[in-house]
Amino acid sequence: MPHDTDRDDPACESESADAGARSRPGRVDVDIVGSGPNGLSAAISLARQGFSVRVLEASDTPGGGSRTVPLASQGPHADLLSDPCAAVHPLALASPFFRSLDLERHGLTFLHAPFALGHPLPSRGTSVALRRDLSTVDAESFGSEAEASAWRRIIGTASRYSDDLAALLLGDGRRPTSGADFALADTTGQAVRSVVRGARGFASALARSYGEIALRPGSAVSAVLAGLAVHAIAPPARPVSMASGVLLGATLHGHGWPIVNGGSGAIVAAMRAELESYGGQVECGRRIDSLDHLDGRAIVLAVGALEARRILGASAGLRARLLRPSPGGAAARVDFVLHGDVPWTDERLGHAGTVHLTGDYRHVDTAEKAARSGEVPDSPAILASQPWTADPARISPDGRRVLWSYAHVPNGSEVSVTERVTRVIEASAPGFRDVVDATIERGPADLERYNASYPGGDIASIAADVPGMAFRFARSADPYSGGARGVWMASASTPPGPGVHGMAGAHAARRVAEYLHSDHSSRG
Ligand SMILES: Cc1cc2nc3c(=O)[nH]c(=O)nc-3n(C[C@H](O)[C@H](O)[C@H](O)COP(=O)(O)OP(=O)(O)OC[C@H]3O[C@@H](n4cnc5c(N)ncnc54)[C@H](O)[C@@H]3O)c2cc1C
């Protein structure tokens, strides 16, 4: 176990006690703990630079939050597949690192539904339905031309710059110009300039739209923007919510919100194939409890911050200076097995890949604040995916399909939400209960058991507060520091935060590569 103390701590500048052992033959250059999108991204990035890499995964299958598994281990619905975590992939399409790979050669295909997003507004008796192509957004999409034109101005401005916005928000803000593992480093300066230009247009579009009431609470535009923002599992007006809302809005029309042919596990299968093509390996069933049995010259902890802290804390001789992160809001997943389509009042919603059941701005703001204060709202914020709208193969020969959903609840909540979710869907799809054959709920405790990176069901892995996140793990200026020499963090707990984009892994890998090169040259 090569790791002594924080390399940013002046007291820790000396070489590791067993640094000499690092040249032991047969030893891998990098051990990576966790095979989610970030662990695999770090592994691919390092393996294609020629380093030997081993990924150690606690579960029996790789993938973390991007797996596809049978809905049930036995019973009548064991033939159906479900994505236990991520289901919809705008960030995979927007990810500069994924775009630097050719994952399609390993069979990865993204599929788009006719409508990217549906958003029922039961309090107004209407819905919003948005196609990927911004030019199709019209009075019918929003129920009024004033609102449609406000949307085109606001999100149209953002989506024109969606690549730059993605490069900036998913980028490595700490080190924008060094390294050239993928194109992002070279484009960050340009992205900043474009986004500054775009931000001016965006701000003036907001100001004009506010004057036209389109953005006031109660409007359909503010409802849809709030639904995008609460993906951060926080009230919509928080800066981190607004940033993720703008990015998701930009990707909605810029890249689309696809599902993956065969399920989210196909992303990981393609990444694993890519890694293996460079000689990297993934070992499943390897839960790591301390670093003592790892002998990589460098270690990447691609797990949530609390889990990383537990592993580091149990490692002998480690004097890492770690901060104690606190978990954020949580999710409760509910899968509905249906024997037909959802009977939405607005039939356009039956063709929407994603449906936001978050109501209007005031409604979702109140629900998110209640969940934050420990109360399970009667009508929580709910996000749903209808994968069969993009991929008819998700319908079994006898007509069954899985409606994927999750509701925002307090961290650690033990309250069942299936009835609440059912009621909320019924409000916009009367008769929904009659098409439900079975429900499977996975509450916060189940999610934590499934993946230690979701403490108390916090599916954002302690990342909802992005400015804090950057410094939260180790007392270091570098958000990817693992708090000990030769150890890095790369997961949804580090910038740019949650989502299947692999960017934290790519950013950490640049640091690991530099460390390995300097470690090698310091030993002559
Ligand atoms: C319910 C839910 C819905 C989501 N929906 C979306 C979505 O639609 N789109 C989207 O882009 N993102 C979504 N996300 C977020 C996304 O799944 C995560 O942000 C992403 O998977 C994080 O990747 P990661 O590599 O950092 O960590 P993870 O994917 O969490 O992977 C960490 C891996 O480390 C393993 N591990 C943990 N501890 C140990 C240990 N001690 N030893 C060895 N291995 C260990 C875990 O088993 C896991 O495989 C969702 C997440 C959840 C939970």
Side-chain angles (χ1 to χ4, degrees), residues 38 105 127 192 198 216 251 267 353 381 442 509:
N38 283 309
R105 80 184 164 114
S127 306
V192 171
R216 295 189 182 162
T251 59
I267 296 179
R442 292 188 185 87

Side-chain angles (χ1 to χ4, degrees), residues 74-93:
Q74 52 191 1
H77 305 302
D79 59 322
L80 297 172
L81 293 177
S82 166
D83 294 328
C85 303
V88 185
H89 293 288
L91 298 178
L93 279 188

Side-chain angles (χ1 to χ4, degrees), residues 86-247:
V88 185
H89 293 288
L91 298 178
L93 279 188
S95 163
F97 182 68
F98 283 6
R99 292 168 76 172
S100 77
L101 308 174
D102 182 11
L103 295 178
E104 288 73 15
R105 80 184 164 114
H106 303 297
L108 180 63
T109 322
F110 292 98
L111 302 171
H112 295 266
F115 289 93
L117 176 65
H119 188 128
L121 290 165
S123 62
R124 292 163 54 132
T126 59
S127 306
V128 174
L130 298 171
R131 294 182 190 273
R132 181 180 166 198
D133 181 352
L134 182 69
S135 69
T136 64
V137 174
D138 57 14
E140 205 190 328
S141 314
F142 272 94
S144 89
E145 179 49 34
E147 299 229 43
S149 83
W151 180 265
R152 286 195 302 270
R153 272 202 306 277
I154 297 166
I155 292 300
T157 309
S159 61
R160 258 198 307 286
Y161 295 98
S162 67
D163 280 340
D164 292 334
L165 201 57
L168 192 72
L169 293 179
L170 300 178
D172 187 349
R174 301 303 171 97
R175 316 179 66 191
T177 51
S178 66
D181 183 32
F182 51 94
L184 171 63
D186 303 328
T187 60
T188 304
Q190 187 206 331
V192 171
R193 284 191 293 278
S194 297
V195 168
V196 167
R197 256 185 280 125
R200 282 199 211 113
F202 186 69
S204 90
L206 272 181
R208 273 184 291 151
S209 305
Y210 196 88
E212 289 166 15
I213 67 142
L215 256 192
R216 295 189 182 162
S219 72
V221 170
S222 67
V224 178
L225 287 174
L228 296 172
V230 298
H231 275 259
I233 319 194
R238 288 221 184 153
V240 67
S241 308
M242 290 198 280
S244 67
V246 170
L247 178 60

